[in-house]
């Protein structure tokens, strides 16, 4: 069967949902489904007042990242939903493996479902304290998981700015969430969602990703710079920001129309390159 599962919005997965319901002994509230930012995952509140998150992998590429949510359940000091149970099964008809994770239902909503801010959400000082403390505790956790390595970072930056750009050697590494956009944090209470990608990354990586997704709202982008000043002003933090900018610019060249991040990311990249050159 030809399964274009990358975007679940286009798929008939009624049988998959039925399997998840039976395995977890819950009823999914299907009219309240929520897709990931690119449609590759889907989640539902359940009849047991929990949250069920569905993901998939090709049968040939199920790896260590597949159990990332289970590993994340051991993290302490981080505001995240508690994992209750999981079920995984093979789907021979589609040649994929499905996973359903049932977790605590967080009543607070994602700050921005698209991941990118379009206006100021008016977050409280307590919210910023919770986020900063959570990422601080996470950074100290030891793991062998990797979310962003040196080779990939250097390659992406060089694709846009050339080999003659800034030295991309990272000297400070911490543990990061790895996908810190506004669709993965909630308000008014701060919870961090979707722990599929976490692992070691350059210092300031999470703050850099959240900053990048805030560029259309300068007030919030500036707030992130203040809240995470020590990380983002470090050399590794500046490289993490430059990586975000390079990804925006690289993808814009492939698309038909530029998105709202292209202009501010291009401006920020010029500043970051100048700063990194002066630090060399």
């Amino acid at each position: 069967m030809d399964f274009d599962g990358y975007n679940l919005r286009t798929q008939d997965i009624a049988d998959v949902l039925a399997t998840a319901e039976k395995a977890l002994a819950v009823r999914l509230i299907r009219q309240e489904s929520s897709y990931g930012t690119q449609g590759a995952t889907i989640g539902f509140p359940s009849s047991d007042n929990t949250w069920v998150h569905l993901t998939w992998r090709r049968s040939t590429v199920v790896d260590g990242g597949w159990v990332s949510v289970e590993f994340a359940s051991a993290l302490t000091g981080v505001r995240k939903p508690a994992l209750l149970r999981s079920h995984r099964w093979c789907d021979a008809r589609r040649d994929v493996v499905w996973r359903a994770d049932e977790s605590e239902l967080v009543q607070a909503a994602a700050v921005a479902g698209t991941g990118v801010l379009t206006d100021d959400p008016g977050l409280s000082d307590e919210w910023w304290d919770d986020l900063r403390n959570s990422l601080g505790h996470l950074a100290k956790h030891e793991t062998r998981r990797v979310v962003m390595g040196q080779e990939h970072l250097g390659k992406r930056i060089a694709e846009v700015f050339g080999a003659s750009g800034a030295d991309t050697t990272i000297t400070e590494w911490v543990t990061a969430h790895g996908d810190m956009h506004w669709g993965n944090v909630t308000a008014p209470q701060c919870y961090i969602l979707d722990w599929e990608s976490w692992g070691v990354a350059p210092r300031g990586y999470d703050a850099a990703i959240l900053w990048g997704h805030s560029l259309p709202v300068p007030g919030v982008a500036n707030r992130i710079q203040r809240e995470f000043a020590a990380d983002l002003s470090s050399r590794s933090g500046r490289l993490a920001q430059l990586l975000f900018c390079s990804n925006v610019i690289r993808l814009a060249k492939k698309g038909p129309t530029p998105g709202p991040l292209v202009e501010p990311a291009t401006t920020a990249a010029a500043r970051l390159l100048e700063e990194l050159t002066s630090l060399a």
Side-chain angles (χ1 to χ4, degrees):
M1 177 180 180
D2 183 16
F3 178 59
D4 181 21
Y6 184 76
N7 188 347
L8 295 181
R9 295 184 181 92
T10 65
Q11 306 299 317
D12 178 5
I13 57 170
D15 59 315
V16 176
L17 303 185
T19 299
E21 288 178 318
K22 182 177 180 180
L24 300 175
V26 299
R27 178 176 58 83
L28 302 179
I29 304 176
R30 303 190 185 194
Q31 65 271 25
E32 297 182 25
S33 63
S34 177
Y35 290 93
T37 54
Q38 297 181 16
T41 65
I42 187 171
F44 304 85
S46 82
S47 55
D48 285 2
N49 202 34
T50 59
W51 183 259
V52 176
H53 186 237
L54 279 167
T55 57
W56 66 277
R57 294 284 193 280
R58 291 290 179 192
S59 299
T60 54
V61 294
V62 176
D63 54 23
W66 193 230
V67 292
S68 55
V69 176
E70 292 176 44
F71 289 164
S73 66
L75 297 171
T76 59
V78 180
R79 291 183 61 85
K80 58 181 177 57
L83 178 66
L84 304 176
R85 61 188 62 83
S86 300
H87 180 68
R88 182 174 63 186
W89 70 99
C90 296
D91 182 343
R93 187 165 66 93
R94 297 180 177 90
D95 192 28
V96 300
V97 178
W98 293 95
R99 180 185 173 109
D101 293 300
E102 184 182 10
S103 62
E104 171 190 7
L105 178 64
V106 174
Q107 298 296 337
V111 175
T114 63
V116 180
L117 280 191
T118 56
D119 51 35
D120 192 331
L123 302 169
S124 67
D125 290 343
E126 180 182 6
W127 189 95
W128 287 105
D129 288 343
D130 286 342
L131 179 66
R132 190 176 59 253
N133 290 335
S134 287
L135 295 186
H137 280 99
L138 175 62
K140 298 174 184 177
H141 185 84
E142 294 185 4
T143 181
R144 295 181 180 178
R145 298 172 52 82
V146 176
V147 63
M148 175 54 63
Q150 177 66 69
E151 182 178 358
H152 187 75
L153 178 143
K155 177 182 177 181
R156 288 301 187 207
I157 291 177
E159 282 181 17
V160 176
F161 303 110
S164 60
D167 177 6
T168 58
T169 303
I170 298 293
T171 57
E172 296 178 277
W173 299 89
V174 300
T175 299
H177 175 271
D179 196 18
M180 187 57 60
H181 57 67
W182 290 103
N184 280 340
V185 286
T186 69
Q189 294 79 35
C190 178
Y191 285 90
I192 303 174
L193 310 176
D194 289 355
W195 288 84
E196 298 172 6
S197 304
W198 72 281
V200 171
R203 178 186 180 185
Y205 185 78
D206 280 340
I209 300 302
L210 196 63
W211 162 81
H213 285 90
S214 308
L215 287 174
V217 186
V220 178
N222 291 337
R223 178 71 184 260
I224 294 170
Q225 291 286 343
R226 295 195 301 272
E227 293 289 341
F228 298 95
D231 290 333
L232 292 177
S233 63
S234 69
R235 189 171 177 281
S236 296
R238 286 187 169 100
L239 283 169
Q241 293 170 77
L242 185 62
L243 172 66
F244 179 88
C245 295
S246 68
N247 283 333
V248 169
I249 295 168
R250 178 177 59 85
L251 293 174
K253 292 178 179 179
K254 298 179 179 180
T257 57
L261 298 178
V262 177
E263 183 175 348
T266 302
T267 300
R271 170 182 59 80
L272 289 162
L273 284 167
E274 184 177 347
E275 292 172 355
L276 286 163
T277 300
S278 68
L279 291 174

